[in-house]
Amino acid sequence: MRIVVALGGNALLRRGEPLTSENQLANIRRAAGQLARIVEGNEVVLTHGNGPQVGLLALQAAEQATGEGFPLDVLGAQTDGMIGYLLEQELSNVLPSHVVATLLTRVQVDPSDPAFTSPTKPIGPVYTAADAERIGLQHGWAMAPDGKGVRRVVASPTPQRVLGLQPIQWLLSHGTLVIAAGGGGIPVAAMGDGRALQGVEAVIDKDLCSSLLARQLEADCLVIATDVDAVYLDFGEPNQRALRQMDLGALAQMRFPAGSMGPKVEAARSFVATTGRRAVIGSLDHIEAMVQGRAGTEVVAAARSERSA
């Protein structure tokens, strides 16, 4: 099969962990060991998040004496190189007979997307309310609740087109495990006469971009690997229940939190609605079983035997 795997931030940094190189490397080694289980006999494209990393780089730049830093598109490219290198190295260590390649991937967005005036994408560290208020005022950043803390939020426009598909397809056809569209891709938009592209101040949602990439690559399956074993109704409540299969009709009646599971479910829905193929959401630790249809929440076009547990 041709599989696109969207690797959640838990593979790079678990909630509450300090953003250190040691922690990232330990988590990436764990991720590489799990991903190795699905590579043999399949064509695999791996995407990943970068929210904590790009936010930390922006914070470090803002705290320089000059107060001048690079824009988010450039910082996103920097994180793609860093994370891609770590993933590539660890995957090569566990898959010595496979070629692994990392590509910086531009993704086109609409410069008039309303997301530019309504930032929602959390990046960077989690702060207390008091620290968030101080830092937000200091740098002129928008801040919003994230779990029990507060994080900076930035524009997250809808991805329209993944650029550079040809090299991805060529590498896949030559047996390469490809790491691409890291952090949702590097956001660019057509300005002026509509022909010239330039970077924009935004961070694209990794799951929505992965869904678009999977559609453009005509993938057989989209896997969204996160830190929970399934999609839950009433998550965190005493009556929470895991959904083992969702069809498009059932999904139309459900709502999920915009800051966490919502984009993942929407990414899966878009892929299935467009292609008629399957998507699955679940834990990275169960990725082999997810691909085989034995774990996670499977999203399908039409119900076969909807179950919950």
Side-chain angles (χ1 to χ4, degrees):
M1 291 192 297
R2 176 171 287 185
I3 307 168
V4 172
V5 180
L7 196 58
N10 62 296
L12 309 173
L13 186 73
R14 299 184 184 187
R15 182 171 287 271
E17 283 186 332
L19 183 53
T20 64
S21 59
E22 292 82 4
N23 284 339
Q24 287 187 94
L25 184 57
N27 289 328
I28 284 174
R29 282 176 175 161
R30 165 179 161 266
Q34 294 297 323
L35 290 165
R37 298 172 179 269
I38 64 168
V39 171
E40 196 65 44
N42 294 313
E43 294 180 344
V44 176
V45 177
L46 176 63
T47 69
H48 60 79
N50 72 343
Q53 293 79 10
V54 74
L56 183 61
L57 285 180
L59 180 63
Q60 291 171 341
E63 290 180 345
Q64 293 176 359
T66 62
E68 298 179 0
F70 290 105
L72 286 174
D73 59 306
V74 176
L75 296 180
Q78 290 181 3
T79 63
D80 289 355
M82 175 185 69
I83 297 167
Y85 151 67
L86 293 172
L87 284 167
E88 186 174 326
Q89 177 147 286
E90 295 309 315
L91 284 165
S92 296
N93 286 338
V94 296
L95 296 164
S97 63
H98 282 73
V99 177
V100 185
T102 302
L103 298 179
L104 294 183
T105 310
R106 294 174 302 144
V107 175
Q108 189 169 352
V109 301
D110 184 347
S112 62
D113 191 306
F116 286 107
T117 58
S118 301
T120 58
K121 179 68 174 176
I123 66 171
V126 178
Y127 301 105
T128 64
D131 285 342
E133 182 177 10
R134 173 180 55 82
I135 291 169
L137 289 173
Q138 179 183 350
H139 300 300
W141 291 346
M143 313 294 279
D146 182 31
K148 295 181 180 180
V150 181
R151 294 175 77 187
R152 179 188 177 188
V153 289
V154 299
S156 183
T158 301
Q160 294 186 318
R161 184 164 63 105
V162 177
L163 306 176
L165 280 182
Q166 284 185 324
I168 297 175
Q169 292 170 324
W170 187 91
L171 288 167
L172 286 174
S173 69
H174 287 76
T176 304
L177 194 168
V178 181
I179 302 167
I186 302 164
V188 299
M191 301 296 186
D193 60 6
R195 290 180 294 179
L197 295 175
Q198 67 181 53
V200 293
E201 188 79 353
V203 175
I204 300 170
D205 183 85
K206 170 262 305 173
D207 295 309
L208 297 181
C209 181
S210 300
S211 176
L212 175 61
L213 177 62
R215 299 195 302 270
Q216 289 189 260
L217 288 174
E218 299 182 344
D220 298 295
C221 183
L222 170 65
V223 176
I224 299 176
T226 183
D227 57 356
V228 293
D229 63 346
V231 177
Y232 282 79
L233 289 180
D234 302 314
F235 183 72
E237 302 296 328
N239 60 334
Q240 71 174 23
R241 60 189 181 97
L243 298 170
R244 295 306 176 193
Q245 185 184 102
M246 297 188 295
D247 66 86
L248 297 180
L251 268 181
Q253 310 301 318
M254 299 178 184
R255 296 292 180 270
F256 298 93
S260 54
M261 190 56 71
K264 295 174 174 53
V265 172
E266 173 56 25
R269 186 205 64 79
S270 296
F271 175 75
V272 174
T274 303
T275 67
R277 297 167 184 165
R278 58 187 289 267
V280 61
I281 303 170
S283 170
L284 173 67
D285 293 328
H286 305 152
I287 194 163
E288 184 177 22
M290 288 164 63
V291 170
Q292 296 170 349
R294 298 186 291 105
T297 298
E298 186 180 44
V299 180
V300 295
R304 295 194 296 268
S305 57
E306 188 171 346
R307 298 176 288 123
S308 64

